């Protein structure tokens, strides 16, 4: 009895979301064993379950990139300081976050080397050597790498001094082709977020003050967390000829004239893991969408010792059927932990489906499926086991997406004045749609008075007649929200 009490207490140690959302987040990722803090400030160690989520993200995105003609390459993480001086806006945007290498091999370096914050400068330099003719275009390259940005305030997965990501870098003959690429990649990110991670997002264009340093235009997908804050879940940038001019990326066109390439860059990072946790998690812990979960199904044999061998044997047979069907499954037949402890443990770890099999189920030729999301128990026949599991995995993804979208929609409002926006954000949570005249001063005033930033200018949004700050005619409808 004391052991059962201890088993339940394990999950109770997670702070409720409504009490302290930030504390809840840290409790969950530590209890779920996703990461550990490292001895280096702002850096974390990805433990196997946390890293496997990233591997699943990589696998699916990499497949999508290759389907659209992109290939992977790798570029050095050390970037000469002189490269950053070539694109003034770019270096100004990153300078506060750059760590520098000044010594190596016991000697001072002739030129400081930045540790990669992003690779536009290094890749621009290489493209200038690789591209000579229109026949060399387009160049469609992606890199899976780590980057370093020396953040003052860090939070595991969401904002760390070193993080993992992918960065696509492409070069094109003209603006039309480059812009087509920019929007194609944004759509890939949207589709991945919604149809793989079950996270509804808002697509739109960043305002000039929020765009990527050195870009002509930046586009993003924005997601709402359960505390109402925003996470920028992916970006795609049309860079124009800015980097091509800075790094002399030219090609000989069909008329034998030299032209500058139009370039793009786009990326997502391990921030997506933080978003997954904050969008879907609850007071019981993690809730992982089936397509991304390291373990989709956990199978737990139940019953007294005298029936154990037969039950475990049948569980192993059903496990083999799941594996053959491509389902990521795990059997926990550890006799030292009670079934109740295991139920709590795997709920907390976010495993989408639990399978229970006991002596009575054996007699009746059935098995019990339990949904992590709804808690629903389904008794299914063993000869339909695999099909029923696959069906429940599909339903679980849809249920998670629908819940997240419903939450987002219920926590969006329209604010016509700064006071309305501030009242909404202070009293509730979420995003607000507001009119904006296009003035940087008005945008800055919103941030100063409410702590909210413009998330993006949505592609689909109701027209708002007046700017929420100055009352002048609105040029855009903007999503405002507080963000991570």
């Amino acid at each position: 009895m004391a052991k059962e009490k201890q088993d339940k207490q394990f999950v109770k140690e997670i702070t409720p979301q409504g009490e302290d959302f930030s504390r809840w987040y840290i409790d969950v990722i530590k209890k779920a064993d996703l990461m550990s803090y490292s001895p280096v400030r702002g850096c974390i160690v990805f433990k196997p379950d946390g890293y496997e989520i990233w591997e699943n993200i990589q696998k699916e995105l990499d497949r999508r990139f290759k389907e659209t003609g992109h290939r992977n390459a790798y570029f050095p993480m050390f970037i000469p300081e002189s490269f950053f001086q070539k694109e003034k806006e770019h270096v100004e945007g990153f300078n506060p976050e750059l760590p520098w290498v000044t010594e190596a091999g016991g000697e001072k370096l002739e030129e400081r080397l930045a540790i990669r914050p992003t690779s536009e400068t290094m890749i621009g330099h290489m493209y200038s050597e690789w591209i000579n003719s229109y026949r060399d275009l387009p160049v469609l390259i992606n890199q899976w790498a780590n980057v370093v940005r020396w953040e003052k305030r860090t939070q595991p997965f969401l904002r760390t001094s070193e993080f993992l990501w992918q960065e696509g870098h492409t070069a094109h003959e003209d603006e039309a082709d480059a812009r087509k690429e920019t929007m194609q990649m944004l759509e890939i990110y949207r589709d991945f977020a919604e149809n793989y991670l079950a996270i509804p997002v808002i697509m739109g264009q960043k305002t000039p003050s929020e765009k990527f340093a050195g870009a002509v235009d930046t586009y993003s997908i924005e997601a709402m967390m359960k505390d109402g804050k925003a996470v920028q879940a992916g970006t795609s940038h049309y860079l124009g000829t800015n980097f091509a001019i800075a790094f002399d990326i030219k090609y000989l066109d069909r008329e034998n004239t030299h032209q500058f390439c139009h370039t793009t860059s786009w990326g997502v990072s391990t921030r997506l893991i933080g978003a997954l946790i904050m969008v879907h998690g609850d007071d019981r812990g993690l809730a992982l969408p089936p397509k991304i979960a390291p373990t989709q199904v956990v199978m737990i044999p139940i019953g007294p010792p005298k029936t154990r061998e037969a039950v475990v044997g049948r569980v192993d047979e059903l496990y083999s059927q799941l594996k053959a069907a491509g389902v990521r499954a795990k059997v926990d037949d550890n006799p030292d932990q009670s079934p109740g402890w295991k139920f709590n443990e795997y709920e907390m770890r976010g495993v989408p489906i639990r399978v229970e099999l006991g002596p009575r189920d054996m007699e009746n030729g059935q098995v019990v499926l339990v949904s992590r999301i709804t808690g629903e128990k389904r008794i299914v026949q063993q000869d339909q086991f695999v099909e029923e599991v696959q069906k429940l995995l599909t339903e679980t993804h849809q249920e998670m997406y629908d819940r997240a979208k419903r939450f987002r929609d219920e926590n969006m409002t329209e604010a016509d004045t700064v006071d309305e926006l501030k009242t909404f954000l202070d009293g509730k949570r979420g995003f607000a749609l507001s009119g904006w005249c296009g003035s940087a001063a008005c945008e800055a005033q919103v941030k100063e008075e409410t702590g909210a930033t413009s998330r993006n200018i949505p592609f689909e949004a109701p027209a708002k007649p007046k700017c929420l700050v100055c009352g002048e005619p609105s040029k855009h409808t903007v999503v405002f929200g507080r963000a991570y």
Side-chain angles (χ1 to χ4, degrees):
M1 192 71 172
K3 179 135 183 21
E4 284 291 335
K5 197 171 180 184
Q6 185 181 12
D7 293 346
K8 290 179 181 176
Q9 185 62 32
F10 179 80
V11 175
K12 285 185 179 177
E13 289 174 16
I14 295 175
T15 303
Q17 288 183 346
E19 183 180 312
D20 186 334
F21 192 83
S22 294
R23 187 68 251 167
W24 167 85
Y25 177 74
I26 298 299
D27 287 349
V28 165
I29 59 180
K30 290 173 74 175
K31 287 288 184 188
D33 211 26
L34 299 183
M35 68 94 205
S36 285
Y37 291 105
S38 84
V40 180
R41 188 196 71 82
C43 296
I44 63 171
V45 174
F46 287 72
K47 298 187 83 171
D49 272 0
Y51 193 73
E52 195 168 335
I53 293 172
W54 180 241
E55 285 182 312
N56 290 338
I57 290 171
Q58 276 187 302
K59 193 183 304 178
E60 178 61 18
L61 280 176
D62 205 58
R63 181 187 68 79
R64 293 171 186 238
F65 297 161
K66 286 171 179 170
E67 278 184 356
T68 47
H70 300 84
R71 300 184 70 193
N72 289 331
Y74 185 81
F75 298 83
M77 70 182 298
F78 300 112
I79 301 175
E81 183 175 13
S82 57
F83 282 21
F84 286 95
Q85 305 306 326
K86 292 182 179 182
E87 217 295 325
K88 187 180 176 186
E89 186 181 348
H90 188 68
V91 70
E92 286 177 355
F94 280 104
N95 200 46
E97 301 172 348
L98 287 178
W100 295 97
V101 177
T102 59
E103 288 186 30
E107 297 179 3
K108 269 201 172 286
L109 298 179
E110 290 184 14
E111 180 178 11
R112 291 197 302 174
L113 299 174
I115 301 175
R116 173 177 51 217
T118 181
S119 296
E120 276 76 8
T121 56
M122 174 60 72
I123 291 175
H125 173 82
M126 299 313 301
Y127 282 6
S128 70
E129 294 185 1
W130 296 351
I131 297 168
N132 297 297
S133 163
Y134 70 89
R135 295 183 183 87
D136 299 324
L137 298 169
V139 175
L140 307 175
I141 282 181
N142 175 64
Q143 172 175 236
W144 293 96
N146 62 335
V147 293
V148 175
R149 297 179 186 174
W150 214 249
E151 302 277 4
K152 291 181 179 177
R153 297 179 63 188
T154 62
Q155 194 159 16
F157 298 121
L158 289 171
R159 193 175 292 277
T160 50
S161 297
E162 178 192 14
F163 56 93
L164 307 177
W165 77 348
Q166 59 76 209
E167 49 180 322
H169 296 272
T170 68
H172 304 262
E173 284 191 63
D174 55 35
E175 178 175 349
D177 196 45
R179 285 193 176 275
K180 182 181 176 184
E181 164 79 5
T182 305
M183 301 314 295
Q184 172 187 247
M185 302 320 293
L186 188 71
E187 171 58 22
I188 284 176
Y189 289 153
R190 182 209 64 78
D191 185 72
F192 173 75
E194 297 191 340
N195 294 316
Y196 205 81
L197 306 182
I199 297 177
V201 293
I202 298 171
M203 296 175 77
Q205 182 174 351
K206 288 287 191 182
T207 62
S209 70
E210 293 290 328
K211 70 182 173 125
F212 178 69
V216 174
D217 291 310
T218 289
Y219 303 88
S220 73
I221 54 171
E222 303 287 331
M224 185 188 291
M225 306 299 100
K226 276 192 174 175
D227 62 350
K229 288 186 179 179
V231 164
Q232 182 178 281
T235 51
S236 188
H237 317 285
Y238 168 60
L239 305 176
T241 57
N242 290 348
F243 285 88
I245 291 170
F247 289 91
D248 201 33
I249 313 172
K250 290 191 294 195
Y251 69 94
L252 208 57
D253 68 13
R254 290 164 178 80
E255 283 72 47
N256 242 23
T257 303
H258 277 104
Q259 304 286 352
F260 285 109
C261 293
H262 291 251
T263 64
T264 79
S265 68
W266 30 272
V268 299
S269 75
T270 40
R271 169 176 285 203
L272 287 176
I273 299 175
L276 272 173
I277 297 164
M278 288 188 165
V279 168
H280 298 303
D282 57 28
D283 286 347
R284 290 174 293 158
L286 283 182
L288 294 173
K291 294 177 185 178
I292 207 71
T295 300
Q296 296 172 310
V297 177
V298 61
M299 307 182 71
I300 301 175
I302 298 171
K306 64 182 179 180
T307 64
R308 180 173 179 78
E309 187 175 342
V311 171
V312 171
R314 185 56 181 147
V315 166
D316 287 342
E317 290 172 359
L318 294 172
Y319 166 80
S320 296
Q321 293 176 22
L322 282 183
K323 294 292 283 185
V327 176
R328 296 188 293 275
K330 171 183 178 177
V331 175
D332 188 342
D333 59 357
N334 182 354
D336 297 328
Q337 300 289 2
S338 70
W341 187 93
K342 293 176 185 178
F343 295 168
N344 285 330
E345 169 79 357
Y346 291 108
E347 275 199 355
M348 184 272 299
R349 289 179 178 270
V351 177
I353 298 176
R354 181 174 79 240
V355 173
E356 302 171 11
L357 184 70
R360 187 175 297 175
D361 300 312
M362 293 274 286
E363 291 173 13
N364 297 328
Q366 64 191 27
V367 67
V368 179
L369 309 184
V370 184
S371 166
R372 165 65 177 85
I373 300 305
T374 65
E376 175 196 3
K377 285 193 173 188
R378 291 186 187 178
I379 298 174
V380 303
Q381 295 303 304
Q382 290 182 18
D383 60 2
Q384 297 174 336
F385 173 62
V386 173
E387 292 81 0
E388 290 294 331
V389 166
Q390 290 172 325
K391 178 182 174 185
L392 185 52
L393 288 171
T394 300
E395 290 175 6
T396 297
H397 172 92
Q398 191 60 49
E399 174 68 20
M400 293 181 79
Y401 176 81
D402 290 345
R403 285 188 181 196
K405 187 173 186 301
R406 189 160 55 246
F407 177 86
R408 186 194 70 186
D409 293 347
E410 289 171 355
N411 289 281
M412 286 195 73
T413 191
E414 296 185 21
D416 294 327
T417 67
V418 175
D419 285 342
E420 282 183 19
L421 176 60
K422 190 173 188 304
T423 300
F424 168 71
L425 293 174
D426 288 346
K428 202 181 177 188
R429 58 187 175 189
F431 297 168
L433 292 169
S434 300
W436 176 54
C437 65
S439 157
C442 286
E443 185 181 4
Q445 188 173 332
V446 170
K447 184 175 182 178
E448 183 181 339
E449 293 189 20
T450 69
T453 53
S454 60
R455 304 316 307 151
N456 64 25
I457 302 166
F459 295 149
E460 296 178 7
K464 304 290 290 179
K466 293 182 180 180
C467 175
L468 80 164
V469 179
C470 66
E472 292 296 313
S474 173
K475 288 185 179 177
H476 305 287
T477 297
V478 173
V479 176
F480 285 102
R482 292 170 181 161
Y484 284 99

